[in-house]
């Protein structure tokens, strides 16, 4: 597990490149070690109170396919599922969907 390594590198990057504050945009967050699209979207939602996309983890990915909300043949990764969900799911549900689906993991 590389989480400790990522945390140490991230804290140094935040200190030197962002004046100690976490960035508030996807490209900057995605440049941090260990941060992927799901975590970046969730961080923006919680940390900055903004919803720029759906935080899709393996739970949202699998459950949305089982419900027929996404096509499992076309959406083989969580990121593909995110794009498919954002294309039709009303914006008002983008923020709560991760927390709702994780409970059904």
């Amino acid at each position: 597990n590389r989480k400790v390594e990522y945390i140490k590198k991230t804290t140094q990057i935040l200190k030197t490149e962002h004046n100690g504050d976490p960035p508030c945009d996807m490209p900057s967050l995605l440049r941090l070690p260990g941060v992927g699209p799901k975590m970046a979207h969730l961080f923006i939602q919680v940390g900055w109170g903004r919803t720029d996309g759906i935080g899709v983890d393996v739970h949202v990915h699998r459950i949305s396919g089982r419900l027929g909300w996404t096509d499992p043949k076309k959406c083989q990764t969580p990121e593909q599922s995110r794009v498919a969900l954002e294309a039709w799911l009303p914006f008002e549900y983008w923020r709560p969907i991760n927390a709702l689906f994780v409970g059904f993991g």
Side-chain angles (χ1 to χ4, degrees):
N1 194 323
R2 300 178 68 186
K3 289 181 183 177
V4 171
E5 177 185 335
Y6 293 153
I7 290 169
K8 287 180 179 180
K9 287 181 180 178
T10 295
T11 57
Q12 189 60 38
I13 292 168
L14 293 178
K15 183 179 176 184
T16 59
E17 297 178 21
H18 299 282
N19 205 24
D21 285 329
C24 63
D25 62 280
M26 286 293 292
S28 297
L29 286 167
L30 292 173
R31 283 194 292 274
L32 297 173
V35 176
K38 175 200 78 170
M39 186 51 59
H41 282 297
L42 293 176
F43 183 84
I44 289 171
Q45 288 175 9
V46 174
W48 298 105
R50 223 177 51 236
T51 301
D52 292 353
I54 300 172
V56 176
D57 60 5
V58 68
H59 300 93
V60 175
H61 170 64
R62 279 188 304 187
I63 294 169
S64 61
R66 289 181 181 158
L67 290 173
W69 291 7
T70 58
D71 182 348
K73 291 179 184 174
K74 293 180 182 175
C75 298
Q76 297 184 359
T77 67
E79 186 62 11
Q80 290 170 333
S81 291
R82 180 191 65 79
V83 172
L85 286 168
E86 287 177 1
W88 72 268
L89 189 67
F91 180 77
E92 64 206 58
Y93 299 112
W94 287 18
R95 185 179 182 111
I97 191 172
N98 184 280
L100 291 171
F101 279 14
V102 167
F104 292 107

